[in-house]
Structures are given as structure tokens and as C-alpha cells.
Amino acid sequence: MLPDFAQWSLDAIRAEGGSLSWLEECRFEWSKTTAYALEQILQGKTVILITDEKRKWLEHYIISSINSISLERPLIPVISIDDIYPHYNNISGGEMIDMLDDMIALSYKNDYFFWYIGKGDDKRSDIAKRKDESYFWLFDEDFNNAFRLKSYDPVLDIKLLQLYRLFDASLSAAMFGEVDVSS
């Protein structure tokens, strides 16, 4: 029988030693939200990645790393919201978000979910907050399917890279049947 994702995550966190000790305290929040995102990826959904402006570097890192040739796993459909609609920063108001969401739903046949990384009060998070399936690494705000972080954490960037590394390992383990992520 495959280990459940919460136990697998705990083992993976502990295997990293002290560098991920901060994550052990909030592993249940991590496990719940991340297992759901991984399950959607395994179902073949496209990931539409959105970050606030301060985390654009992480968006570029994720998009360039998630399908690295060295990983030897199937490719994951991941795209930046800015590649879908380059004028995303200029959207204001619910009607414009509705039009963009309709275009994305038609283009991806409702077979997608948003992954937002950034401050909860950033307007770039608005479209993701409208979808129950969205996955969040959210700063300074509680929200459904959100892993919460503090924007004022002095080592936030390091934690984000550690989270991505764990996410990537989790994705590989789920794809190769080493862990059960089904809810």
C-alpha cells in the first residue's frame, strides 16, 4: 500500500534535515493543499502560473525547471498567465476578469487550474481566487487551498525555493506511483 501524502511529506521533510524544520510545523496545511494540486496535474490539467510582481523570478524558475530534461518524467503543461494574456497587469474590474476567464475556459476546455504565488491582496491573485480548484502559496492571508507564508519573513525567498524543491519531488513521487495523493 502506498503511503498517504501527509506521511510521505513528513518523511521527505525530515530527510532534508534541519533546513526544512520550519515546514514540519505546517505540514498538514502543505499536504492538504499540495495533494489536491498534484491530483489535478495527474488528471492532465494545465497549470496556469500567476505570481505577484516581486515573485516573477520564481515564476520564471518554476517554468524553466518543472520540465527539465534531467528529470526523466512526462512533461507537465505549465504556462504563465502573462503568456496567455500579456496585458494581464492592466486588467481591472470583475467584467474584464470574467472575459479573460471565459477565454481561458474555452481555450483549455475547463481543464486547468491556477497556481498563485504572492501577496493575498495583490490584484494578480483575483482571477485565481474565483476558482475553487486554485492552488496558492499565499502571503499574509488565509484562503481556501492556500499554503500560508509571511511576506515579511527575512528568509522567504529561501523558503520558496525549498517549497518548490519539495513540490517537484512530490510531483515526481506522485507520477511514479510512490505516494497516494488522491483525496
Side-chain angles (χ1 to χ4, degrees):
M1 185 169 157
L2 294 177
D4 75 336
F5 189 65
Q7 184 60 51
W8 185 93
S9 293
L10 176 60
D11 294 343
I13 290 166
R14 288 182 174 165
E16 289 294 316
S19 66
L20 282 181
S21 61
W22 66 271
L23 187 53
E24 189 169 340
E25 298 171 12
C26 41
R27 70 183 180 277
F28 294 112
E29 184 182 320
W30 163 262
S31 299
K32 178 182 171 247
T33 60
T34 303
Y36 184 59
L38 294 172
E39 190 174 9
Q40 292 185 86
I41 291 171
L42 293 178
Q43 292 168 358
K45 290 187 177 183
T46 297
V47 180
I48 300 175
L49 187 58
I50 308 169
T51 64
D52 61 12
E53 287 302 321
K54 286 184 90 173
R55 260 51 69 171
K56 279 302 223 185
W57 65 269
L58 184 60
E59 177 182 301
H60 295 297
Y61 181 77
I62 290 171
I63 288 179
S64 67
S65 300
I66 201 161
N67 288 316
S68 174
I69 292 171
S70 64
L71 292 174
E72 297 181 5
R73 68 176 181 214
L75 297 177
I76 309 301
V78 178
I79 189 164
S80 166
I81 190 81
D82 298 308
D83 290 335
I84 294 172
Y85 188 66
H87 309 289
Y88 184 65
N89 278 343
N90 299 323
I91 287 182
S92 60
E95 192 172 312
M96 285 293 293
I97 292 174
D98 287 341
M99 287 183 357
L100 177 59
D101 193 38
D102 288 345
M103 190 253 327
I104 292 170
L106 288 170
S107 299
Y108 291 93
K109 313 261 188 279
N110 282 320
D111 226 10
Y112 67 94
F113 70 97
F114 295 109
W115 178 6
Y116 176 76
I117 303 169
K119 289 193 68 122
D121 61 358
D122 191 288
K123 74 175 191 165
R124 290 180 59 88
S125 71
D126 291 348
I127 195 168
K129 286 181 175 178
R130 292 170 166 230
K131 295 285 190 192
D132 291 337
E133 303 84 19
S134 295
Y135 176 53
F136 297 91
W137 292 357
L138 207 57
F139 309 148
D140 309 325
E141 182 179 322
D142 287 322
F143 200 78
N144 188 37
N145 287 333
F147 181 74
R148 189 170 189 263
L149 297 151
K150 296 177 177 111
S151 65
Y152 51 86
D153 187 330
V155 292
L156 177 62
D157 289 351
I158 293 168
K159 287 181 176 180
L160 288 170
L161 288 171
Q162 289 173 325
L163 282 175
Y164 176 69
R165 186 170 173 215
L166 181 60
F167 179 87
D168 193 56
S170 303
L171 178 58
S172 289
M175 292 183 88
F176 295 124
E178 298 167 14
V179 64
D180 181 12
V181 294
S182 60
S183 38

